[in-house]
Amino acid sequence: MARTTTSRLAALAAGATAALVALTGCVAGEDAPAESGAADGGTTTVAIDWATYNPLSIVIRDQGWLEDAGYDVEWVQSLGSSAANEALRSGAIDFGSTAGSAALLARANGAPQQIVTVVAQPEWASIVTPAGSDITSVEQLQGRTVAAALGTDPYFFLVQSLEQAGLSIDDVTVENLAHADGWAALQGGSVDAWAGLDPITATAEAAGATILATDLSLNSYSVLNASQEVIERDPELVQTVVDLYEQAREWALANPDEMAQLLADAAAIDLSVAQVVIDEREGLDVSGVPGDALLDVLRPIGAIQVEIGDVASQDAIDAALDTLLAPQFAQTAVDAG
């Protein structure tokens, strides 16, 4: 197994606790659905995350569509997939934004949550080296220290990139750091490389860092998860949220400049960097229905999760793959559109 500066469980729990920042809903927007579970006597309060790595969540939060639908909304910022998974597991949120790989990891380890819609197919994970680094290939990472947030797409991207280069995760020292902290460590010189996530990696590149490796085929999809409890208790709420995600997708694709500005404001990054993320890397123009394409990406990642000890057995991965998706909500939303 990889050498880490802390144990996996302690690091994930501590990172999740530090990452949760409760925020209130923003200015109400237009074009919200006319009917909702709130209007029909269902759930009236919803805890849902937003994340800079999930632009559609930023749109929904900014436009106030959930509030317009009659819900009292607790917006919670997720600073990474691990934090979102922990918040879902603890009941702090009903809906959480993660990479598909992180959703599989949580489900395989017994978390009662399912993927209800695909947000995007982004090329968001990459390995980054600082300006002036002597590292010019993944092979040269052998014996080096690499920052990565365990249980996230950049971490699994790192594992797969090393394997393609004839190395294993044991050939590097992994410093378990949240995405923003990984970039800070790279800038400070305490790590040799960083497996990072957009939009922070785009900011790093603009600041002179080098993208050492990137590969869309090794990135799992960006997804929205719902807790099993809310799916069973109030499927109409789940449908409303997924409907709004499709509405946000249409808005973002029709208004790329405005989408980039929202991302820039939310992530506190330059507009030019946000435009690169939205125009070149985010991959929002994809079906929201989770299905075989997502599972095909996740199967090899699941095998890696077993190999490195994050999941106890391949049987656990297979069972998770069989129950991970709840596509009916996104299918209804797509059909209605």
Side-chain angles (χ1 to χ4, degrees):
M1 295 176 64
R3 291 172 286 149
T4 59
T5 56
T6 59
S7 70
R8 270 192 180 84
L9 294 179
L12 291 178
T17 300
L20 298 178
V21 181
L23 297 173
T24 57
C26 291
V27 179
E30 299 176 350
D31 303 323
E35 298 181 10
S36 70
D40 295 335
T43 302
T44 57
T45 301
V46 56
I48 185 170
D49 80 347
W50 71 276
T52 58
Y53 55 87
N54 177 355
L56 300 188
S57 69
I58 298 172
V59 174
I60 297 169
R61 175 174 171 261
D62 178 76
Q63 298 294 315
W65 288 334
L66 262 175
E67 292 85 348
D68 284 351
Y71 291 97
D72 295 324
V73 185
E74 180 185 7
W75 287 102
V76 177
Q77 185 180 9
S78 289
L79 299 182
S81 295
S82 298
N85 275 337
E86 181 60 28
L88 280 164
R89 183 187 288 272
S90 69
I93 56 176
D94 303 307
F95 299 88
S97 308
T98 73
S101 59
L104 174 61
L105 179 64
R107 185 76 181 183
N109 284 318
Q113 64 192 61
Q114 289 182 290
I115 295 172
V116 293
T117 193
V118 169
V119 175
Q121 186 184 15
E123 190 171 13
W124 57 3
S126 56
I127 300 173
V128 183
T129 53
S133 172
D134 62 347
I135 299 172
T136 58
S137 68
V138 175
E139 289 86 351
Q140 292 175 341
L141 290 176
Q142 185 170 12
R144 307 293 187 113
T145 299
V146 184
L150 298 181
T152 67
D153 242 32
Y155 176 70
F156 293 116
F157 177 80
L158 172 65
V159 173
Q160 293 179 90
S161 296
L162 289 170
E163 289 185 347
Q164 286 187 348
L167 303 174
S168 78
I169 196 66
D170 293 324
D171 289 315
V172 302
T173 297
V174 176
E175 186 83 23
N176 180 25
L177 295 171
H179 303 309
D181 294 335
W183 168 223
L186 190 74
Q187 291 174 289
S190 61
V191 297
D192 300 302
W194 162 54
L197 191 74
D198 266 333
I200 306 173
T201 48
T203 300
E205 188 176 20
T210 299
I211 303 296
L212 181 69
T214 187
D215 186 340
L216 179 61
S217 70
L218 300 185
N219 286 254
S220 71
Y221 288 70
S222 171
V223 301
L224 183 73
N225 305 267
S227 69
Q228 201 71 47
E229 190 274 335
V230 77
I231 290 174
E232 295 171 357
R233 169 174 50 82
D234 197 344
E236 190 169 358
L237 167 60
V238 180
Q239 189 63 62
T240 296
V241 169
V242 174
D243 287 347
L244 291 179
Y245 261 80
E246 283 306 303
Q247 183 172 312
R249 186 190 315 280
E250 293 175 6
W251 186 93
L253 292 174
N255 302 280
D257 292 342
E258 291 88 342
M259 180 70 260
Q261 186 65 65
L262 283 180
L263 177 59
D265 292 343
I269 59 177
D270 289 343
L271 178 58
S272 60
V273 173
Q275 286 175 326
V276 169
V277 173
I278 296 301
D279 295 342
E280 300 178 15
R281 297 180 181 174
E282 191 56 47
L284 293 170
D285 191 9
V286 64
S287 172
V289 182
D292 289 340
L294 173 57
L295 295 178
D296 287 345
V297 171
L298 293 180
R299 285 190 183 93
I301 293 176
I304 292 171
Q305 291 171 343
V306 175
E307 179 184 345
I308 64 179
D310 283 346
V311 177
S313 69
Q314 185 61 45
D315 287 344
I317 289 292
D318 293 341
L321 289 169
D322 286 342
T323 58
L324 182 62
L325 310 184
Q328 64 271 23
F329 302 103
Q331 189 64 63
T332 296
V334 169
D335 290 345

